[in-house]
Amino acid sequence: MTLNIKKILKELTLEEKASLLSGADFWHTKAVERLAIPQIMVSDGPHGLRKNAEGSANPNEAIKAVCFPTACALACSFDRNLLTMMGKALGEECQAEKVSVILGPGCNIKRSPLCGRNFEYFSEDPYLAGEMAAAHIKGVQSKGVGTSLKHFAANNQENRRLTINERIDERTLREIYLAPFEIAVKQADPWTIMCSYNRINGYHSSQNKWLLTDVLRNDWGYSGLVMSDWGAVDDRVAGVKAGLDLEMPASFGKNDKLIVDAVNRGELSMEAVDKCTERVLRLTDKAEESRTPAKWDMEAHHELAAKIEAQCAVLLKNDDDILPLDRNEKICFIGEFAAKPRYQGGGSSHINSFKAVSALEAVKDYCKVEYAQGYITEEDRTVPELLEQAVDCAKYNDKVVIFAGLPESFESEGYDRTHMRMPDCQIELINEIYKVNKNIIVVLHNGSPVELPFIGNIKALLEMYLGGQGVGKATCELLFGDAAPCGRLAESWCMKLEDTPSYLNFPGVGDEVSYSEGVFVGYRYYDKKKMEVRFPFGFGLSYTKFEYSDLVISENEINEDQTLTVSCTVTNVGSRTGSEVVQLYVGDKESSVMRPVKELKGFEKITLKAGESRKVVFNLDKRAFAYYETAINDWFVEYGEFEIMVGASSRDIRLTGSVYVNGTAKLPVHFTFNSTVGDVLSCSEGKEVFGELIDKFCKGMTDMNGDGLGSNSMELALAMLKDTPMRGILCYDERPEINRVWLQEMLDRLNAMLEG
Ligand code: BGC
């Protein structure tokens, strides 16, 4: 330890402590020279280093660096090792550039495809998002550099992001929006966490004690530092109380003074200030301790960026096996993105790439292609000459590769999309080319799904997402078969915007938005509603085929505290090497709460040579079966049968089996006069106390009426009684002793049995 934190805490004045709780400027913490406390530097993140150029007055002027694929692409790799590899490269860059914390990854859930910042996030699925974030963090931190897992929590839209109040029930928060953070915190222990701008159920995240202390620290055991997103602080004193350690960027002493005044007035405890100060000191110390001399090789990282992107791209369509291309064919590339790829998004994650290789440059290593620009990106307007040239070019070639997607202005940090359409000029281009050449391959560059009205007119679709500065090389490797496509969608592609689960509640009205779709986000929604989707979650083609066999589930029945092992064998039955993402989903066959049909609980990516087989093993623990039960403020497994599904996508399940899980926890029940007869009879104790009597009433009802209630008299009587409150049964019995006193005694007896 470089700093003697205990001693320093004693020596710091209140003013100095308060000063340590906010940034010195945009990218640094404060130093206290008197006590030799140094300042440390933080920088964006997440998919590259955006370090402020030395001496620059503009906080957005960054040094040259490498832009790796963005999170929307990375998650499609379903490859933990790949994310760790990228994290290590980022860590090396930060070490060399003396950056202590790189701001990322972001693991917010893609609630709507419209969120302008979806490209910076991993998935609609919390398990996948959490696993990817954890792998990224492990890589960076293995190099002695910290990460800042962001934006905690539920930052799912850009619209009014600093003031929006999200109404989200706790089960939904725990199962969907908090879960990726929980996974990453528990697995990878990020040095820091960045709170989000938005409000959740009335509280700004920067002053939400439930979020920052009760959940994050007490439930999950996090002991690192929480910093604010840039400008997310509303009430700094409330923030200190809630557990927000560091305000970023500088508040120029204004909020520090509020902290000092609040302590002096007795409104804020010195203990709370000390806790935050101690965490800032610990981070500073850790950063200083971890500093090592380092160098990094830009060209090598550029190559790595291309290599990673080749593992992320998703082949969504490949009719007639039109891909891979043959170098001897006559091929043309059409579209501005072929020459100037869109490979990253706008905003705080924007990297000053030292170079970017386009597909048009990269293709020179393969063959000669003709090129036509086809469209412009500055505005959505067809330029007749460009269109004509492109159609002409398409006529005389065997195959046409059209590079299309979203121009930068269509999606960015700071605002959301209002539709899912691609520019009309690009759609017109594709449809016009279709008239002269049916061998169309579309390569997409976009940060989030788009509607595909031209899908029937193209033979292949290769989704590159925003693939980083090596995207051109990766594209050519995939197009010509030097690399095999192995990405799988980390989000569902709906048919149209109106199908999306949050359609009626995005982005909300004024400063209020209701997450009324609950846990039914992404495929959880489309599956429950049996809806058609364009491409399902987990989907992606390859240049080979895989077969699944030998599902083995270690037990027929387990207790919730036992681990279940599931295995299967996957065989590459095609003729080339390829990688498969083996996905495991779990679904509760019968449940007393609404649950998704299936939820991803495991995935493994494997590479197999032609003809090769491998056994894939998954371990499932309690969380694979549990839902969050607010009645006990805990994860709860309802006993019963669960379906185990293993497959190649959420809609391509190849093997199924089941397991009976015994939950050990019981939900608290307390019956009153207003509990229904049905609820009381649903437990064995209730049946014991009231069963006979209720049975008698039912019989009485049918006897009274003969078959007057119909041929199903007994069933009907039961149905009517089932929803009757217990107080109602008093009217079914004329005996005077069957009265309210009697009923209370019986209910007390039942409640005592249940508690015992
Ligand atoms: C973004 C963060 C980013 C920070 C610093 C904020 O506007 O929301 O993700 O790390 O700026 O640039």
Side-chain angles (χ1 to χ4, degrees):
M1 183 141 65
T2 321
L3 299 177
N4 185 340
I5 292 173
K6 265 200 181 142
K7 187 162 168 271
I8 291 177
L9 270 175
K10 281 195 193 124
E11 289 173 1
L12 283 167
T13 63
L14 170 60
E15 286 71 14
E16 283 169 334
K17 285 178 189 169
S19 83
L20 284 170
L21 305 191
S22 65
D25 55 28
F26 228 74
W27 305 116
H28 294 90
T29 60
K30 289 206 196 86
V32 178
E33 273 164 33
R34 184 176 77 81
L35 297 170
I37 303 169
Q39 64 175 185
I40 61 169
M41 182 172 203
V42 304
S43 289
D44 284 308
H47 44 262
L49 178 59
R50 191 175 73 113
K51 185 191 171 186
N52 202 201
E54 213 144 291
S56 167
N58 178 355
N60 290 320
E61 196 176 312
I63 59 164
K64 292 273 181 215
V66 172
C67 178
F68 288 91
T70 61
C72 61
L74 289 168
C76 295
S77 73
F78 277 72
D79 188 338
R80 299 170 182 93
N81 294 334
L82 200 73
L83 271 279
T84 301
M85 205 194 289
M86 183 195 73
K88 284 183 180 165
L90 290 173
E92 274 171 19
E93 294 181 21
C94 291
Q95 268 299 358
E97 299 295 340
K98 302 202 166 29
V99 170
S100 297
V101 174
I102 181 162
L103 306 174
C107 69
N108 295 104
I109 290 291
K110 297 178 199 234
R111 175 175 177 244
S112 163
L114 297 181
C115 173
R117 228 175 161 179
N118 271 359
F119 71 90
E120 275 190 73
Y121 301 141
F122 293 114
S123 179
E124 66 187 24
D125 180 82
Y127 176 70
L128 177 60
E131 291 287 313
M132 293 291 99
H136 174 135
I137 294 166
K138 283 178 197 166
V140 175
Q141 295 191 170
S142 71
K143 297 291 176 183
V145 171
T147 52
S148 197
L149 181 64
K150 64 192 188 181
H151 308 92
F152 190 56
N155 189 168
N156 312 107
Q157 63 185 62
E158 291 299 284
N159 186 66
R160 292 177 180 254
R161 63 176 171 165
L162 284 107
T163 51
I164 191 80
N165 181 32
E166 301 158 350
R167 296 273 162 212
I168 321 178
D169 66 85
E170 188 173 354
R171 182 182 155 207
T172 299
L173 272 169
R174 296 273 191 172
E175 287 183 31
I176 305 291
Y177 296 100
L178 298 183
F181 290 95
E182 180 182 3
I183 293 169
V185 163
K186 289 182 176 170
Q187 265 189 41
D189 196 15
W191 287 15
T192 79
I193 286 179
M194 187 192 293
C195 81
S196 60
Y197 284 131
N198 50 281
R199 288 182 287 158
I200 300 175
N201 298 324
Y203 296 95
H204 275 104
S205 296
S206 57
Q207 59 206 54
N208 187 335
K209 178 181 165 290
W210 174 79
L211 188 69
L212 302 187
T213 297
D214 300 352
V215 173
L216 179 63
R217 299 192 190 282
N218 299 345
D219 289 0
W220 301 347
Y222 182 67
S223 60
L225 172 138
V226 180
M227 69 174 77
S228 73
D229 196 346
W230 271 230
V233 167
D234 169 44
D235 177 337
R236 184 63 186 110
V237 173
V240 173
K241 287 182 188 165
L244 178 75
D245 305 310
L246 176 65
E247 171 182 12
M248 285 303 289
S251 74
F252 303 106
K254 292 169 205 165
N255 282 344
D256 307 350
K257 184 166 181 313
L258 295 181
I259 295 174
V260 172
D261 292 349
V263 173
N264 288 337
R265 279 201 305 271
E267 282 165 17
L268 177 66
S269 70
M270 189 61 116
E271 197 196 339
V273 175
D274 279 351
K275 268 191 194 163
C276 295
T277 312
E278 187 176 339
R279 289 189 201 116
V280 172
L281 293 172
R282 283 196 192 290
L283 175 70
T284 310
D285 188 53
K286 200 167 179 169
E288 288 300 295
E289 285 275 283
S290 311
R291 204 34 75 242
T292 52
K295 281 206 277 266
W296 70 287
D297 179 340
M298 272 200 186
E299 285 294 343
H301 285 192
H302 170 81
E303 289 304 312
L304 180 64
K307 183 175 156 195
I308 292 174
E309 171 62 358
Q311 310 287 310
C312 298
V314 192
L315 181 62
L316 292 170
K317 184 172 178 177
N318 193 18
D319 285 0
D320 307 334
D321 289 333
I322 189 170
L323 291 179
L325 298 171
D326 182 335
R327 306 168 192 229
N328 301 314
E329 292 169 306
K330 278 172 72 188
I331 298 165
C332 64
F333 279 10
I334 288 177
E336 193 180 301
F337 287 159
K340 284 192 231 154
R342 177 152 179 259
Y343 60 89
Q344 63 172 326
S348 60
S349 68
H350 202 270
I351 303 304
N352 185 5
S353 296
F354 84 92
K355 72 172 181 188
V357 173
S358 71
L360 205 52
E361 267 173 81
V363 78
K364 290 182 187 145
D365 290 344
Y366 292 84
C367 60
K368 252 192 138 91
V369 299
E370 273 189 68
Y371 171 67
Q373 184 182 333
Y375 60 83
I376 52 168
T377 48
E378 302 84 64
E379 53 181 321
D380 186 3
R381 176 174 62 84
T382 296
V383 179
E385 308 84 78
L386 292 183
L387 178 64
E388 213 172 290
Q389 278 167 17
V391 171
D392 230 38
C393 179
K395 259 188 218 157
Y396 304 107
N397 278 287
D398 300 330
K399 290 180 181 165
V400 190
V401 186
I402 304 178
F403 290 76
L406 296 178
E408 204 153 47
S409 62
F410 273 54
E411 52 181 356
S412 167
E413 177 176 344
Y415 55 89
D416 297 319
R417 288 190 293 171
T418 52
H419 61 79
M420 283 178 63
R421 293 189 301 277
M422 278 171 47
D424 290 337
C425 63
Q426 294 189 20
I427 294 174
E428 189 183 351
L429 173 75
I430 296 170
N431 291 339
E432 286 303 311
I433 288 179
Y434 177 71
K435 292 181 187 159
V436 300
N437 193 325
K438 304 283 181 266
N439 289 323
I440 301 178
I441 295 123
V442 170
V443 174
L444 279 183
H445 293 76
N446 48 316
S448 201
V450 288
E451 286 164 4
L452 300 168
F454 52 82
I455 189 78
N457 289 352
I458 64 172
K459 285 205 172 153
L461 182 63
L462 181 62
E463 171 58 78
M464 303 305 294
Y465 279 106
L466 300 181
Q469 66 180 59
V471 68
K473 184 172 184 202
T475 308
C476 289
E477 282 177 359
L478 293 162
L479 288 177
F480 290 93
D482 273 3
C486 59
R488 303 291 183 261
L489 289 179
E491 61 194 322
S492 310
W493 278 49
C494 60
M495 302 298 286
K496 56 183 189 307
L497 176 63
E498 291 77 5
D499 289 350
T500 55
S502 60
Y503 179 67
L504 296 175
N505 287 292
F506 187 94
V509 178
D511 273 338
E512 291 289 319
V513 59
S514 162
Y515 282 38
S516 49
E517 69 283 2
V519 298
F520 296 97
V521 175
Y523 67 89
R524 287 166 169 76
Y525 177 79
Y526 301 117
D527 282 358
K528 195 78 176 175
K529 295 199 69 178
K530 297 197 168 80
M531 284 168 73
E532 194 193 350
V533 290
R534 176 67 71 204
F535 302 114
F537 174 85
F539 171 75
L541 300 168
S542 142
Y543 291 154
T544 183
K545 294 241 168 321
F546 299 94
E547 268 179 20
Y548 289 61
S549 59
D550 308 327
L551 179 71
V552 180
I553 298 176
S554 62
E555 313 282 340
N556 294 328
E557 186 174 342
I558 53 164
N559 291 332
E560 65 173 32
D561 53 2
Q562 284 174 280
T563 302
L564 185 75
T565 305
V566 177
S567 66
C568 71
T569 302
V570 178
T571 307
N572 180 349
V573 294
S575 52
R576 352 175 6 133
T577 298
S579 300
E580 175 72 330
V581 177
V582 187
Q583 302 161 41
L584 185 148
Y585 297 86
V586 175
D588 192 352
K589 284 197 169 172
E590 208 184 301
S591 162
S592 55
V593 296
M594 281 281 256
R595 293 192 69 179
V597 178
K598 63 171 94 69
E599 297 183 271
L600 184 74
K601 296 295 173 184
F603 60 86
E604 288 303 328
K605 191 169 198 176
I606 51 167
T607 302
L608 297 175
K609 294 201 186 89
E612 199 186 346
S613 294
R614 188 156 326 141
K615 185 172 163 185
V616 181
V617 183
F618 301 97
N619 289 317
L620 300 178
D621 62 12
K622 174 179 169 182
R623 278 292 283 275
F625 305 101
Y627 73 91
Y628 192 82
E629 176 50 72
T630 46
I632 51 169
N633 297 319
D634 204 354
W635 296 91
F636 177 68
V637 177
E638 200 172 15
Y639 66 85
E641 219 176 335
F642 289 80
E643 195 165 15
I644 308 290
M645 295 160 262
V646 179
S649 90
S650 62
R651 292 258 170 117
D652 185 6
I653 299 301
R654 307 285 182 87
L655 305 166
T656 53
S658 67
V659 62
Y660 192 95
V661 186
N662 290 303
T664 48
K666 266 193 165 183
L667 294 185
V669 258
H670 184 84
F671 292 116
T672 66
F673 275 36
N674 274 307
S675 302
T676 65
V677 170
D679 285 349
V680 168
L681 294 188
S682 68
C683 62
S684 56
E685 293 86 349
K687 274 191 197 122
E688 191 183 323
V689 178
F690 288 103
E692 218 172 283
L693 195 68
I694 305 285
D695 209 42
K696 202 178 114 202
F697 294 157
C698 284
K699 287 207 180 93
M701 280 166 79
T702 54
D703 285 353
M704 236 181 336
N705 300 294
D707 66 352
L709 289 175
S711 55
N712 54 344
S713 286
M714 191 62 184
E715 239 180 304
L716 196 56
L718 249 177
M720 282 160 73
L721 265 178
K722 189 171 81 62
D723 292 339
T724 301
M726 290 303 284
R727 62 181 150 75
I729 67 173
L730 300 178
C731 315
Y732 286 89
D733 201 313
E734 58 188 33
R735 287 175 291 170
E737 65 273 25
I738 304 299
N739 55 25
R740 289 179 74 88
V741 176
W742 166 84
L743 184 57
Q744 188 60 62
E745 276 171 16
M746 298 288 275
L747 287 169
D748 289 347
R749 204 177 110 204
L750 172 57
N751 287 328
M753 281 164 81
L754 288 165
E755 273 158 34

